[in-house]
Amino acid sequence: MVYRVLTLGLSDTLITDLKEAIQYNPAFSAVLTVQEAGRLLVHQIFHLLIVDLDYLRNIQQSGWLLEIRHISFVPMIVLSDTPEQDTSGMVRLGADICISGKQLTSILADFAYAQLRRYTEYNHYHGPGATETAPFRVGDIFIDPPRRKVRVGAVSINLRPREFSLLLYFMRNPKIVLTSEQICEHAWGMEGSYNQGVSHPVRLLRKAIEPDPEHPVYIETVRRVGYRFTAYHSEICDMC
């Protein structure tokens, strides 16, 4: 597995040059709308986000960075023509670095490499193969697999190992209908039918994370098929 870099508003030429210059040989995903960037950050793990500030200003979305911090803790580099004026405001909105987009590609690549390295070492991931354990957020719920931490909104949740593994599997497969057999095999590593079924662990997980377990909004029962993790408390989300 390689590191994933998401870019918004960057030129094809700059993306190509960065791809060749950044160590770790990351995979780039380029988008042109904040809506698409938001959807990708919700449903996939990215290890770096690079955004062109002038592009955001042109589409009147300068405040979008703050919205991103509600769904992702991905390291964020903002490119600006006037970083000396913009750094303070961008950091307040959630950026890690604000740097001139006119810098040499090699310098931009060094900053990107530094963020990927820091992300890896800070989280004790010693290579791209370990990035499946990276903390991530899906909708309202944040999970940190190696530290076994869960937050729903701002509230920390304690889960037993079985329910934690179940939630992790749901979060890695949002909005997909999962059968009992799939849950047993992939969440718990068990072949065949789980001798107590999955309904009891699901009920315990709902009790832990749902605002009202009797009327679940995160884990939907799909009759005669299985369960679907819907990710959001609200049915309307601009970033879905």
Side-chain angles (χ1 to χ4, degrees):
M1 178 178 294
V2 298
Y3 287 97
R4 299 189 184 103
V5 178
L6 179 64
T7 69
L8 175 62
L10 275 63
S11 68
D12 292 340
T13 299
L14 179 56
I15 292 173
T16 299
D17 291 344
L18 286 173
K19 188 182 300 184
E20 295 176 353
I22 297 176
Q23 296 188 48
Y24 292 147
N25 189 29
F28 277 71
S29 297
V31 295
L32 293 176
T33 69
V34 295
Q35 291 81 9
E36 180 62 16
R39 281 192 290 270
L40 288 175
L41 286 168
V42 166
H43 297 301
Q44 298 182 30
I45 295 174
F46 286 93
H47 310 105
L48 181 63
L49 171 64
I50 307 177
V51 180
D52 185 273
L53 179 57
D54 286 339
Y55 178 83
L56 289 181
R57 285 172 171 162
N58 287 338
I59 61 174
Q60 300 181 339
Q61 292 285 350
S62 298
W64 175 76
L65 301 183
L66 187 60
E67 297 180 24
I68 285 302
R69 281 302 176 237
H70 292 301
I71 64 170
S72 175
F73 295 109
V74 61
M76 187 189 307
I77 296 176
V78 173
L79 305 182
S80 167
D81 288 343
T82 56
E84 65 280 357
Q85 299 176 18
D86 297 322
T87 294
S88 178
M90 292 301 100
V91 169
R92 290 174 185 273
L93 289 176
D96 296 287
I97 295 175
C98 183
I99 184 175
S100 173
K102 298 178 181 179
Q103 290 276 10
L104 294 173
T105 302
S106 59
I107 295 177
L108 297 178
D110 285 341
F111 275 99
Y113 169 75
Q115 287 298 303
L116 289 172
R117 181 183 60 192
R118 181 180 183 280
Y119 182 85
T120 301
E121 295 301 324
Y122 177 80
N123 291 289
H124 306 293
Y125 311 134
H126 301 295
T131 55
E132 280 296 336
T133 60
F136 64 103
R137 180 185 298 273
V138 180
D140 300 331
I141 303 178
F142 168 83
I143 193 166
D144 185 342
R147 296 169 183 80
R148 306 193 74 81
K149 293 183 178 180
V150 174
R151 289 199 305 271
V152 179
V155 179
S156 295
I157 305 295
N158 292 320
L159 296 175
R160 297 188 305 178
R162 183 176 59 176
E163 284 73 55
F164 184 93
S165 298
L166 177 59
L167 177 61
L168 181 60
Y169 181 55
F170 276 140
M171 290 180 66
R172 284 178 173 163
N173 298 275
K175 300 185 178 180
I176 298 174
V177 178
L178 303 170
T179 66
S180 297
E181 289 77 12
Q182 288 174 311
I183 292 172
C184 290
E185 179 178 354
H186 298 292
W188 301 314
M190 305 178 69
E191 295 183 358
S193 298
Y194 182 50
N195 59 8
Q196 294 182 5
V198 300
S199 59
H200 183 61
V202 168
R203 184 162 59 251
L204 292 177
L205 181 57
R206 281 173 170 162
K207 186 176 180 179
I209 69 171
E210 295 280 2
D212 180 358
E214 297 301 320
H215 301 88
V217 293
Y218 296 126
I219 303 172
E220 173 188 353
T221 297
V222 181
R223 189 177 180 185
R224 297 181 180 177
V225 181
Y227 301 91
R228 175 166 45 210
F229 181 68
T230 58
Y232 291 93
H233 181 280
S234 172
E235 295 182 357
I236 300 175
C237 177
D238 293 337
M239 311 197 75
C240 294

